[in-house]
Amino acid sequence: IRSRLLFLPLTALTIVHPLTAIPVAISLCIYAVIKKEDRKFILISGTITALLALILNGREFLVYLPFITKYFGATFAAVAAGNTEATGLFMNDKSFLYAILWYAPLAIFALVTISYKKYLLPIIFLGVNTVLVLARTVFYQRFLVSIDLILIILAGIGLSIVWEWPRKEIKIVVII
């Protein structure tokens, strides 16, 4: 992460889909702790992004704030209070598992074989989203989309690793 224009896509993401900004911000903070040489750059980009997002889309954050503060970030309290909207209402866990069945093995294969240093930020992002979903935080079902996206990327990496194998028969069996 070294582009001086990093704040532009981060700001666009925060404006278009503010809920995705939560795991992205957490992931970048963890990344900054691990990668000390990028810490100052991420802090500056994050500050610029936060300021621009609040200026350009502050009203949207005010819509989500009561959900987060009223139920202390946990959906079980919101659902018990009759507010099922707090789960995110995007897709349930079962639908998500059915959707990822065909490419999850390649994604898991990629997770086992890749160099973590090369793909550190996407792996951190996957971990943060997984924790948010497992903890059933407010709007957790919407974070399933982020997990799905990272799993698709990892499946592509896994497929490219398989494609580099020398034996054609093994490639066909793995792809099928």
Side-chain angles (χ1 to χ4, degrees), residues 85-107:
E85 220 178 277
T87 64
L89 297 174
F90 185 74
M91 66 170 39
N92 62 28
D93 302 338
K94 194 181 222 180
S95 299
F96 174 71
L97 290 175
Y98 287 144
I100 67 167
L101 270 177
W102 66 277
Y103 55 85
L106 279 172

Side-chain angles (χ1 to χ4, degrees), residues 67-80 83 86-87 132 135-140:
F67 283 106
I68 296 168
T69 57
K70 184 175 182 182
Y71 303 111
F72 302 108
T75 54
F76 62 85
V79 173
N83 190 349
T87 64
L132 290 173
R136 303 279 192 212
T137 57
V138 175
F139 302 113
Y140 75 92

Side-chain angles (χ1 to χ4, degrees), residues 9 11 34 52 60 65 73 83 133 149 176:
T11 302
I34 295 170
L52 286 174
E60 189 73 22
L65 193 60
N83 190 349
V133 168
L149 176 65
I176 290 175

Side-chain angles (χ1 to χ4, degrees), residues 20-159:
T20 306
I22 296 167
V24 168
I26 295 169
S27 299
L28 284 173
C29 288
I30 294 169
Y31 184 80
V33 168
I34 295 170
K35 292 286 216 167
K36 293 178 181 163
E37 62 272 7
D38 292 338
R39 189 174 294 159
K40 181 179 176 184
F41 176 72
I42 291 173
L43 179 66
I44 292 169
S45 295
T47 303
I48 292 170
T49 299
L51 290 174
L52 286 174
L54 288 175
I55 290 168
L56 299 172
N57 205 23
R59 291 184 66 209
E60 189 73 22
F61 288 104
L62 292 176
V63 169
Y64 293 118
L65 193 60
F67 283 106
I68 296 168
T69 57
K70 184 175 182 182
Y71 303 111
F72 302 108
T75 54
F76 62 85
V79 173
N83 190 349
T84 56
E85 220 178 277
T87 64
L89 297 174
F90 185 74
M91 66 170 39
N92 62 28
D93 302 338
K94 194 181 222 180
S95 299
F96 174 71
L97 290 175
Y98 287 144
I100 67 167
L101 270 177
W102 66 277
Y103 55 85
L106 279 172
I108 293 168
F109 172 73
L111 275 172
V112 171
T113 58
I114 62 174
S115 166
Y116 286 96
K117 289 181 181 177
K118 186 175 181 183
Y119 299 103
L120 184 60
L121 189 56
I123 291 170
I124 291 171
F125 187 65
L126 175 64
V128 166
N129 278 291
T130 303
V131 168
L132 290 173
V133 168
L134 292 176
R136 303 279 192 212
T137 57
V138 175
F139 302 113
Y140 75 92
Q141 289 180 341
R142 293 189 185 187
F143 298 135
L144 291 172
V145 176
S146 299
I147 293 173
D148 190 36
L149 176 65
I150 295 297
L151 288 177
I152 289 170
I153 292 169
L154 286 170
I157 293 168
L159 187 60

